[in-house]
Amino acid sequence: MLAWAGLVGGLTGLAVVGFHFLLGFINNFLYGPVVEGLISLFSATPPEPLPLPEAVQATGTPLGALLQIGLGGLAFMPPPPPPPDPIPLPGDPLPLWLSAWPVVLVPLLGGLAVGALRQWSRDLGPSLPSLMAMADGSVQAAPKLPFVRLLAASLSLGSGASLGPEGPSVESGGNIGLWVAGRGGLSPDSQKALVAAGVAAGLAAGFKAPIAGLFFAFEGSYSTIPGRPSVRAVLVAAVASSLVTQLSLGDEPIFRLPAYEVRSPLELPLYLGLGLVASGMSLALLNLLAAGRSERVQRQLQRLPACVVTGLGGLAVGLMALGFPQVLGVGYDTIGALLGREGGIALLSLLGLLVVKLLATGLSSATGFVGGGFAPSLFLGAVLGNVYGQLLGESGLQLPVAEPPAYAMVGMAAVLAGSARAPLTALLLLFELTHDIRIVLPLMAAAGLSALLVERWTGMADPGLLGPDRPEEQRRARLASIGVIKALEPESPLVLSGATSAAAALEQLLDAHGHCLVVEDDGWVLALVTLEDLQRPISAGLGQQALRDCRRSDLLWLSAGANLCQLEDQLQPNGLRQVPVFQLDDQALPQLPAGVPSTGLPLTALQGLASRDGMARALARSSAQFTSLGAMTSM
C-alpha cells in the first residue's frame, strides 16, 4: 500500500508541476504578446511601456505587473499627483481606465477556448464528490487521467477567471489515486485510501504544505476514511508530491507572510469577532457558488453553446477588471500586497473589492470556467481581515491592536475554514506558511468559530468549494426525491430500558441478529447503542453496567419528513449504519439536530431505523419503478 501511495504522490506531484508551468505559459502569453498585439493593432503609435515597480521588473509576470499597477487605484501605492486634465479634443487618447480595454478581451478569449474544449471533450472527469462516491461504492468507478482538466484549468486561470488552482490539483490527485488503484486491482478499501492519498498529494503540491494536505484528506466529507494503513498511505503520498514540487519549483513559499504581532493577550476575543464575520463571508461565497450551480440557472445557460456561455462569463469578469484588476486570476499577488506593511488600502476600496470579487467568482464558476474556491476564499479572507484590522485600529476604534496584515492572515484561515469545512487544514496551512507558533491561538479561535457557525447554519451537508460536480449533484438530487420512510428496516427496532445491564442487552441484541438497539427511560428515547458500545464495558469486566451509561454520543436522528440525502449526511460523517426516525408533530423542533432535547424524544413517535441497506433497497425499488414506467411509456 505504501508503494502504491508513493506512486500516486509522485504522479500527482508531476501533474501539478506540469499544471504550474502550463498555467504560467498561458498567463504570460495572453497578458504579454496578445495584449501588446491588440494594443498595437488598434493604436496608431506603439504604446510606451509603463514603469513597473522594481520587484515586478525582477521577478513578476505580465498579469502580476498589471495587478501591482492596479494597486495604485486602490491607494496601496499612491500615484503621483496627476496633472490638470486638458480639455478633450477629437482624437485624444482614451481615459486611463478605458485604455485598459484588452483586459476585457483576454478573459473573453479564454472563455471561448475553455468552452470549445468542454464541447470537444464532453467530460473533464469526475470531481472530488463523485470520486468519493466511487471509492465508497455508491456509483461505478470511472476515473479519468487529468490531462484535459488541467488544460482547461490552465486556460481558465491563465486568462483571468476568478478561481483557484488548488481545486484542479486536488481533483487530479484523486483521479490519479482511483485510476492507479483500478489498474492495480486493489480492494475497495485500498481504492478509498488511494483516493485520499491523491487528495492529500494534490493539496500538498499546490500549497507546498504536506501537513495541511494530510489533514485535509481526513476532514469534512473525507473523515470516513479510517485506519492506520490509510493514514500512512496519505502521509507517504503527501511527502512524495511535496518532494517532487520542491525539486521542480523550489521551496519558496507561495506567500511571504509577515511576522505575527502580539500586542496584548486581551486581543484574542477580537479574533472571535473576526471568526463571526468570516462565517458570514463563507456563507456568502458558498451560497453564490451554489446558486450558480443550481439546476434552474444551469438550465437557462445550457440553451446557449458552451463556448458562448464561458465567453460571456469571461467578458463579464473582464468588465469588472476595468475597475478592479485584482479580481483577475488566482489573486496571490493581491494577497501578498494585503499582507505587506508598506501602507494601508482605503476601506471603501476594499469593501468594493469584496463585492466585485464575490461576483466574479460566482460568475466564473457558473459559466463553466475550471478552478476551485480555495484561492477566492483566501483572497476574500485577506481583504476582510484587513478591513477588520483597520476598523479596530487607526482608521476606526483606535484600539492598541496588531497591524491589519495580522488580521488579514487570520481572516484567510477563517474564511477558508468556513467555506471548505476544514478548520484544521486552514489552521495548519497558515501555520506552515508563517512558521510562527504565536499565530496558533488566534487561528484556532477564528477558524474554529467560523467553521462551527457555517455548519450550524447550513447543516451537515458539505456544499462543496472545489467546483461543480454535476453527476454527484444529480445523484444527490435523486436521493433527495426519496423519503427516508422508504429506507426503514422491515424489523421493528429492539427497544430496551436504560436500566438493563450491558450483558443482558448484548444477549438480546445477538438473539435479534441486530447491530444496534434503542435505549429508553419512562417512554422517552435517550440513545442508540451499538454492538461496539456494549462490547467495551463487557471486555472491561463491567457487564452489569446500566445500558444508559454505555452510550458514546448523543442520539442522531431524523424526522419522518426527511429524505435519503439527509440520511446519507447523517450516516457517513458519523460512521453509522442505522439512524432512528421519528414522526414528530412539534414543528418547532429542528429537522436535523445533532442531538436530542434534554427530555429525549417520545418513544411513541419512533417509526423505525433507517439504514444503509434500507437506503440501497429504496434506491433499487425506485430504479425498478422508473424502468417499468419507461417500458410502459415506450409501448
Side-chain angles (χ1 to χ4, degrees):
M1 173 58 68
L2 297 184
W4 287 114
L7 176 62
V8 169
L11 292 176
T12 302
L14 291 174
V16 172
V17 169
F19 175 40
H20 172 85
F21 283 116
L22 181 59
L23 173 57
F25 171 78
I26 293 176
N27 182 264
N28 290 335
F29 176 73
L30 290 178
Y31 286 93
V34 171
V35 168
E36 292 175 0
L38 289 173
I39 294 177
S40 62
L41 183 63
F42 293 95
S43 176
T45 59
E48 295 184 3
L50 292 172
L52 303 181
E54 294 182 2
V56 177
Q57 292 179 2
T59 60
T61 63
L63 180 56
L66 172 66
L67 296 179
Q68 291 287 345
I69 295 170
L71 289 173
L74 289 177
F76 184 83
M77 292 165 40
D85 293 333
I87 299 175
L89 299 174
D92 273 0
L94 294 172
L96 180 60
W97 67 271
L98 193 56
S99 64
W101 60 268
V103 174
V104 179
L105 289 186
V106 172
L108 170 61
L109 295 175
L112 293 174
V114 173
L117 184 61
R118 280 188 174 276
Q119 286 184 326
W120 171 74
S121 66
R122 299 292 180 184
D123 182 20
L124 300 180
S127 298
L128 193 54
S130 288
L131 285 170
M132 296 307 300
M134 292 175 184
D136 200 39
S138 302
V139 296
Q140 184 178 1
K144 190 172 184 179
L145 289 177
F147 301 117
V148 179
R149 178 181 293 277
L150 293 180
L151 176 58
S154 299
L155 288 169
S156 299
L157 302 176
S159 62
S162 180
L163 296 170
E166 294 78 25
S169 300
V170 168
E171 291 163 345
S172 298
N175 273 282
I176 290 174
L178 191 58
W179 183 83
V180 168
R183 292 299 182 271
L186 302 183
S187 65
D189 285 343
S190 297
Q191 292 184 15
K192 203 171 183 181
L194 287 189
V195 170
V199 166
L203 190 72
F207 277 116
K208 300 180 183 178
I211 300 177
L214 171 66
F215 276 82
F216 179 69
F218 291 91
E219 271 201 300
S221 55
Y222 324 112
S223 61
T224 57
I225 307 173
R228 292 179 61 190
S230 297
V231 175
R232 294 171 180 169
V234 170
L235 179 60
V236 168
V239 170
S241 67
S242 296
L243 180 61
V244 171
T245 51
Q246 288 186 17
L247 289 176
S248 304
L249 305 177
D251 57 357
E252 289 293 321
I254 295 178
F255 307 118
R256 292 189 175 276
L257 303 182
Y260 176 71
E261 293 183 356
V262 179
R263 294 287 181 90
S264 169
L266 299 178
E267 193 176 349
L268 183 60
L270 298 177
Y271 288 100
L272 293 175
L274 179 56
L276 176 63
V277 178
S279 65
M281 180 59 64
S282 300
L283 282 174
L285 176 60
L286 290 174
N287 290 335
L288 194 61
L289 292 176
R293 298 197 298 259
S294 65
E295 185 177 354
R296 183 178 63 179
V297 172
Q298 290 300 316
R299 191 185 306 117
Q300 297 296 326
L301 294 178
Q302 287 173 1
R303 296 180 178 180
L304 300 174
C307 59
V308 174
V309 173
T310 51
L312 291 175
L315 178 62
V317 172
L319 290 173
M320 295 180 192
L322 285 177
F324 293 90
Q326 293 77 17
V327 303
L328 288 174
V330 178
Y332 287 163
D333 295 306
T334 304
I335 293 175
L338 290 167
L339 297 175
R341 297 186 179 279
E342 289 81 3
I345 301 178
L347 285 177
L348 290 179
S349 298
L350 284 177
L351 292 174
L353 184 58
L354 276 177
V355 175
V356 175
K357 182 65 176 180
L358 271 174
L359 293 177
T361 303
L363 275 173
S364 298
S365 175
T367 53
F369 284 101
V370 180
F374 271 55
S377 66
L378 292 174
F379 185 104
L380 293 169
V383 177
L384 182 68
N386 199 291
V387 169
Y388 189 81
Q390 289 193 42
L391 290 175
L392 293 178
E394 296 180 357
S395 300
L397 301 178
Q398 304 290 328
L399 298 177
V401 296
E403 295 293 329
Y407 285 91
M409 285 190 288
V410 178
M412 290 166 61
V415 175
L416 177 61
S419 303
R421 301 292 187 87
L424 286 178
T425 301
L427 190 156
L428 290 170
L429 177 62
L430 267 294
F431 176 67
E432 280 192 274
L433 294 175
T434 58
H435 302 290
D436 193 339
I437 193 65
R438 296 173 299 176
I439 199 175
V440 171
L441 282 180
L443 287 178
M444 292 175 65
L449 180 62
S450 177
L452 176 66
L453 292 177
V454 171
E455 182 172 323
R456 176 66 178 174
W457 291 333
T458 61
M460 293 185 177
D462 185 358
L465 185 64
L466 295 176
D469 188 353
R470 296 297 299 169
E472 177 63 10
E473 291 171 357
Q474 291 170 357
R475 185 187 74 86
R476 296 272 295 177
R478 183 185 173 197
L479 290 176
S481 66
I482 304 175
V484 72
I485 293 296
K486 297 184 178 180
L488 294 180
E489 291 290 325
E491 300 85 7
S492 298
L494 177 62
V495 181
L496 296 179
S497 170
T500 308
S501 66
L506 178 61
E507 184 177 351
Q508 295 187 54
L509 186 58
L510 292 176
D511 291 340
H513 303 287
H515 299 285
C516 61
L517 56 88
V518 176
V519 181
E520 63 88 19
D521 254 345
D522 296 329
W524 293 90
V525 176
L526 299 180
L528 193 71
V529 173
T530 65
L531 275 172
E532 292 80 3
D533 297 336
L534 294 174
Q535 290 170 350
R536 187 177 67 252
I538 293 175
S539 300
L542 302 175
Q544 298 306 310
Q545 181 176 340
L547 192 56
R548 66 171 67 89
D549 298 326
C550 295
R551 60 178 180 176
R552 288 189 298 172
S553 61
D554 291 335
L555 176 65
L556 296 174
W557 61 283
L558 290 172
S559 69
N563 54 54
L564 296 189
C565 188
Q566 294 169 310
L567 174 61
E568 185 178 63
D569 292 338
Q570 289 283 49
L571 292 174
Q572 285 188 352
N574 300 289
L576 299 175
R577 298 182 61 179
Q578 295 167 316
V579 172
V581 177
F582 292 83
Q583 179 69 56
L584 298 176
D585 297 328
D586 187 0
Q587 298 299 322
L589 285 174
Q591 298 299 304
L592 269 177
V596 295
S598 57
T599 56
L601 293 172
L603 180 61
T604 55
L606 179 63
Q607 302 296 299
L609 296 177
S611 65
R612 292 179 182 270
D613 294 338
M615 184 167 62
R617 288 193 294 267
L619 284 172
R621 286 194 292 266
S622 174
S623 298
Q625 292 174 1
F626 180 79
T627 303
S628 301
L629 181 61
M632 294 177 61
T633 305
S634 61
M635 293 178 61

